C-alpha cells in the first residue's frame, strides 16, 4: 500500500535524498528519484490519474514544487484546483485559458531569455518546427515525423532565414513581421536581380537596415548567409519545392496570427514559464479533447518555452519543478527526448501519463523512426508504473522490460509392465523423472490485465512499479506490486 510521507524527516525538503512518497512499508521514492523521470501507463478507467499520478502530484505540491500542467481532458483544470487547495497551494495556481486574463508573448520572452542571439533564433526555429508537427497531427495530415527529411530541413532553413532577418533589422519580432517578409521574397532569380523589384522589396530594405545596425563580426556573417539565401538560393529552388517550404511555415504563422492563439500569444505578457521558479503552478486549460488543434498548439508552445527556460534557469534557483502531461500521447513531440535526457540537471520532474505504448507510436508515426523516438523517450523514465491495461503491445513491452528468470520444470511418470497371466507376482512398476530449464517472464503479460482497477467499493487501484537500477525492499526485485488509494 502506498503511504504519503507528508512531513519529510530531512530538514531540506528539496534535497535529492528527501522522500516524496513511500511505497509499501519501507521503499522510499525521493526527490532525486523523481528527477530521473516517471512514465505511468494504464487503460481507460484503470485509475492511473487518480492513483499513482494523484499521489505523486500531491506530494510535489506539498513539497513546494513549481510546475507546468498540460491538459488533454476536460475538467483537468478543476482537478488541479482541488489538488492545490488540498496541498495548501491554492494561491500559487495560475490557470491559462482563452478568457483573456492571461497572455504570453512567446517571441518577446525568447529574446528576454537569451538576448538577440543566434541561440534565441535557433530556439524559435525549434519551437515553430514542433508546432508544425503537432498541427499536422491534429489536422490528420500526417501521423507524425519520426526523423528530419529533406522537407523538414528545408522548412527549418526557411524559418531560420525569416526570423534572422526580422531580428537583425527591427527592434522587436512579431508574427506579422514574419508574414510580411514571407510575402515579399523573390519568386525567381530574375526577379531577385531586378533593380526595380529590389527598390520596392521589403526583404532588400530589411537587409540594408541590418547592414547598418550590425557591428559584430558574427552577426554580420549570419546576415550574409540570410542575404544569400533570399537573393540566390531560395529563388533558384523549383517552384513546387519552394511552395512546400512556404506552406509549412505560413500555415503555423497564420494560425498564430488570429483568434485564440493571437489573443494568448500575440499581444502582451502577464505570465511566463519563469513564474514556476517562484513556485507558481501553471495549468493550461485548453484541453486537446475540446480545443483540438488550437489546444495542442497552445500546450506545445508553453511546454517548449518551459523546457527552454528550465535549461537556462539562473544559478541559485533551487526550487524543483515538474512537467505533468496526462494523456501524453496527445502532447508528445520528438523534442521531448532531448529535454528528458538533460532535465535532471535542471531539477525538473517529467511525469508522462499515457494509456499505452501503441498510442505513442501512433502519435509519432508507426514506422521504425517513430517507434525509435518513443522508445528513446520512455527509456529515459527510470520509474515506470503499470496499471491495468488491455493493450497487448504495452503488456508485452512491460514483461520484456522487467525481464525473464530461470524456471525449472520437474516431471515424473509411472509405467506398469503388462501382467503375465502365468506369473505369481504383480507387474513391476517403473518410474521416470526429468527436469527442464527455461527462461520465463518474471511477470507474464496477462498479469497486467488482472490488476485491480479503481472505483467503488474499495476506491483502490493496483499497479506494478519498475525501477531501473534499484531493488525494491518489499520484493527484492527490480519490480514491486502495490496498491494506491484513489484520490480524485
Amino acid at each position: 500500500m502506498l503511504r504519503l510521507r507528508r512531513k519529510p524527516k530531512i530538514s531540506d525538503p528539496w534535497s535529492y535524498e528527501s522522500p516524496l512518497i513511500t511505497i509499501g512499508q519501507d521503499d522510499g521514492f525521493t526527490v532525486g528519484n523523481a528527477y530521473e523521470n516517471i512514465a505511468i501507463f494504464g487503460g481507460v478507467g484503470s485509475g492511473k490519474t487518480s492513483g499513482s499520478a494523484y499521489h505523486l502530484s500531491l506530494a510535489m505540491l506539498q513539497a513546494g514544487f513549481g510546475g507546468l500542467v498540460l491538459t488533454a481532458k476536460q475538467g483537468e483544470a478543476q482537478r488541479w484546483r482541488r489538488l492545490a487547495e488540498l496541498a495548501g497551494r491554492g494561491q500559487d495556481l495560475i490557470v491559462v485559458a482563452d478568457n483573456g486574463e492571461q497572455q504570453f508573448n512567446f517571441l518577446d520572452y525568447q529574446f528576454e531569455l537569451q538576448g538577440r542571439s543566434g541561440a534565441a533564433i535557433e530556439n524559435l526555429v525549434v519551437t515553430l518546427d514542433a508546432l508544425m508537427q503537432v498541427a499536422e497531427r491534429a489536422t490528420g495530415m500526417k501521423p507524425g515525423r519520426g526523423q528530419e527529411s529533406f522537407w523538414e530541413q528545408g522548412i527549418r532553413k526557411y524559418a531560420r532565414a525569416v526570423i534572422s532577418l526580422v531580428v537583425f533589422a527591427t527592434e522587436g519580432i512579431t508574427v506579422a513581421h514574419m508574414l510580411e517578409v514571407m510575402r515579399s521574397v523573390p519568386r525567381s532569380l530574375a526577379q531577385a536581380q531586378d533593380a526595380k523589384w529590389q527598390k520596392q522589396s521589403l526583404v532588400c530594405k530589411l537587409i540594408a537596415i541590418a547592414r547598418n545596425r550590425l557591428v559584430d563580426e558574427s552577426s554580420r556573417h549570419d546576415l550574409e548567409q540570410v542575404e544569400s539565401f533570399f537573393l540566390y538560393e531560395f529563388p533558384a529552388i523549383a517552384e513546387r519545392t519552394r511552395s512546400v517550404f512556404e506552406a509549412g511555415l505560413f500555415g503555423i504563422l497564420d494560425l498564430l496570427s488570429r483568434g485564440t492563439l493571437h489573443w494568448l500569444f500575440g499581444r502582451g505578457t502577464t505570465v511566463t514559464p519563469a513564474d514556476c521558479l517562484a513556485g507558481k503552478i501553471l495549468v493550461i486549460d485548453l484541453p486537446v479533447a475540446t480545443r483540438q488543434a488550437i489546444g495542442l498548439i497552445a500546450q506545445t508552445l508553453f511546454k517548449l518555452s518551459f523546457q527552454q527556460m528550465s535549461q537556462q534557469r539562473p544559478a541559485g534557483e533551487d526550487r524543483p519543478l515538474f512537467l505533468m502531461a496526462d494523456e501524453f500521447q496527445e502532447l508528445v513531440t520528438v523534442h521531448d527526448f532531448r529535454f528528458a535526457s538533460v532535465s535532471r540537471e535542471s531539477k525538473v520532474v517529467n511525469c508522462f501519463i499515457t494509456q499505452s505504448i501503441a498510442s505513442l507510436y501512433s502519435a509519432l508515426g508507426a514506422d521504425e523512426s517513430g517507434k525509435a523516438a518513443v522508445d528513446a523517450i520512455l527509456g529515459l523514465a527510470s520509474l515506470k508504473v503499470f496499471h491495468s491495461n488491455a493493450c497487448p503491445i504495452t503488456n508485452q513491452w512491460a514483461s520484456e522490460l522487467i525481464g525473464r528468470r530461470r524456471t525449472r520444470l520437474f516431471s515424473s511418470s509411472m509405467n506398469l509392465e503388462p501382467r503375465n497371466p502365468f506369473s505369481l507376482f504383480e507387474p513391476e512398476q517403473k518410474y521416470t523423472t526429468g527436469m527442464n530449464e527455461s527462461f520465463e517472464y518474471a511477470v507474464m503479460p496477462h498479469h497486467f490485465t488482472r490488476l485491480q482497477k479503481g472505483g467503488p467499493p474499495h476506491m483502490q487501484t493496483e499497479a506494478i512499479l519498475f525501477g531501473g537500477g534499484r531493488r525494491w525492499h518489499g520484493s527484492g526485485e527490480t519490480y514491486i506490486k502495490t496498491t494506491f488509494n484513489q484520490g480524485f
Side-chain angles (χ1 to χ4, degrees):
M1 181 76 70
L2 179 144
R3 298 182 292 110
L4 278 177
R5 192 182 298 253
R6 298 179 184 275
K7 295 182 179 180
K9 295 181 180 179
I10 296 178
S11 59
D12 180 6
W14 297 345
S15 72
Y16 280 68
E17 296 77 22
S18 183
L20 277 176
I21 56 178
T22 301
I23 307 297
Q25 296 300 314
D26 55 2
D27 275 305
F29 187 76
T30 67
V31 171
N33 295 144
Y35 288 151
E36 296 173 3
N37 305 315
I38 303 162
I40 300 175
F41 303 86
V44 176
S46 63
K48 59 183 182 295
T49 302
S50 59
S52 56
Y54 166 82
H55 288 286
L56 285 165
S57 301
L58 184 59
M60 288 189 289
L61 290 176
Q62 290 175 329
F65 287 32
L68 176 67
V69 180
L70 306 179
T71 64
K73 300 177 291 188
Q74 200 167 14
E76 191 70 2
Q78 288 73 20
R79 192 177 76 84
W80 273 89
R81 283 192 181 97
R82 295 193 297 271
L83 265 172
E85 291 293 340
L86 182 61
R89 300 282 303 280
Q91 74 282 0
D92 291 331
L93 197 72
I94 299 176
V95 177
V96 178
D98 59 356
N99 53 16
E101 293 183 4
Q102 305 295 343
Q103 302 168 37
F104 172 48
N105 189 315
F106 75 100
L107 294 171
D108 288 345
Y109 182 69
Q110 189 57 248
F111 290 103
E112 286 178 14
L113 279 178
Q114 295 187 306
R116 301 175 73 80
S117 64
I121 290 171
E122 196 58 34
N123 276 345
L124 280 179
V125 172
V126 170
T127 298
L128 291 176
D129 179 65
L131 295 181
M132 284 184 275
Q133 289 183 42
V134 297
E136 289 171 354
R137 197 163 75 217
T139 55
M141 292 175 62
K142 299 172 69 173
R145 299 184 298 190
Q147 63 179 3
E148 288 189 342
S149 66
F150 169 80
W151 302 108
E152 282 82 42
Q153 293 176 25
I155 294 172
R156 292 183 69 165
K157 189 171 185 178
Y158 182 43
R160 187 178 296 110
V162 171
I163 295 169
S164 298
L165 182 57
V166 175
V167 170
F168 291 157
T170 65
E171 292 296 333
I173 180 171
T174 67
V175 171
H177 284 155
M178 288 187 279
L179 288 171
E180 287 180 31
V181 170
M182 292 177 62
R183 295 187 183 106
S184 65
V185 297
R187 304 296 166 182
S188 66
L189 284 172
Q191 186 182 45
Q193 301 305 314
D194 182 72
K196 183 178 179 181
W197 178 86
Q198 290 181 359
K199 188 175 181 179
Q200 299 174 344
S201 167
L202 176 62
V203 167
C204 291
K205 290 177 182 178
L206 292 178
I207 289 173
I209 293 171
R211 282 182 189 149
N212 293 326
R213 293 190 60 189
L214 301 179
V215 293
D216 63 285
E217 185 176 348
S218 175
S219 296
R220 293 183 71 86
H221 170 77
D222 291 346
L223 177 61
E224 290 175 1
Q225 303 304 309
V226 172
E227 182 177 358
S228 176
F229 177 82
F230 280 124
L231 300 184
Y232 299 100
E233 182 178 347
F234 193 68
I237 298 174
E239 182 178 355
R240 173 177 285 186
T241 303
R242 190 172 64 239
S243 66
V244 172
F245 295 165
E246 291 181 305
L249 183 58
F250 184 85
I252 192 62
L253 292 179
D254 184 60
L255 280 172
L256 290 169
S257 70
R258 63 182 72 236
T260 298
L261 294 178
H262 171 68
W263 190 258
L264 281 172
F265 302 110
R267 303 185 301 141
T269 293
T270 62
V271 62
T272 76
D275 292 330
C276 298
L277 294 174
K280 298 301 181 183
I281 302 104
L282 306 187
V283 179
I284 313 306
D285 190 19
L286 292 160
V288 177
T290 56
R291 302 309 302 273
Q292 299 176 352
I294 298 299
L296 189 52
I297 291 170
Q299 311 260 1
T300 302
L301 246 178
F302 266 101
K303 180 175 69 170
L304 288 169
S305 299
F306 174 87
Q307 291 171 340
Q308 291 161 359
M309 176 277 298
S310 301
Q311 293 177 304
Q312 301 165 54
R313 63 191 299 175
E317 290 282 1
D318 294 328
R319 184 186 298 274
L321 304 178
F322 63 81
L323 173 56
M324 185 71 61
D326 201 350
E327 303 299 341
F328 183 53
Q329 71 276 2
E330 301 286 354
L331 304 160
V332 62
T333 73
V334 294
H335 302 284
D336 292 318
F337 165 75
R338 295 167 190 161
F339 179 67
S341 64
V342 297
S343 58
R344 186 176 187 272
E345 287 69 30
S346 302
K347 296 187 175 181
V348 178
V349 178
N350 290 291
C351 188
F352 305 136
I353 309 168
T354 188
Q355 294 180 9
S356 66
I357 289 187
S359 64
L360 292 174
Y361 288 158
S362 177
L364 291 185
D367 58 4
E368 289 303 315
S369 59
K371 290 182 178 180
V374 171
D375 291 341
I377 293 170
L378 296 181
L380 294 171
S382 181
L383 176 68
K384 298 178 177 68
V385 182
F386 298 97
H387 288 268
S388 175
N389 212 321
C391 174
I393 296 175
T394 305
N395 296 343
Q396 182 75 25
W397 186 85
S399 292
E400 291 283 359
L401 176 71
I402 293 171
R404 300 170 186 260
R405 59 188 175 192
R406 179 180 295 175
T407 302
R408 293 179 177 178
L409 299 176
F410 293 90
S411 62
S412 64
S413 63
M414 180 181 70
N415 294 318
L416 294 175
E417 292 290 334
R419 182 179 179 86
N420 186 342
F422 301 103
S423 174
L424 299 176
F425 302 98
E426 292 296 322
E428 183 180 358
Q429 296 179 344
K430 291 187 177 181
Y431 292 91
T432 59
T433 60
M435 182 189 72
N436 292 316
E437 285 191 346
S438 64
F439 287 88
E440 301 290 343
Y441 289 126
V443 180
M444 299 297 287
H446 70 271
H447 287 166
F448 297 98
T449 68
R450 299 179 179 180
L451 294 173
Q452 178 184 336
K453 291 187 174 184
H458 303 294
M459 300 301 294
Q460 292 180 333
T461 174
E462 290 182 323
I464 294 175
L465 282 64
F466 173 83
R470 72 177 294 171
R471 285 184 180 271
W472 300 94
H473 295 133
S475 65
E477 302 285 352
T478 57
Y479 64 94
I480 186 172
K481 183 179 179 181
T482 191
T483 302
F484 294 91
N485 292 321
Q486 286 184 281
F488 45 77

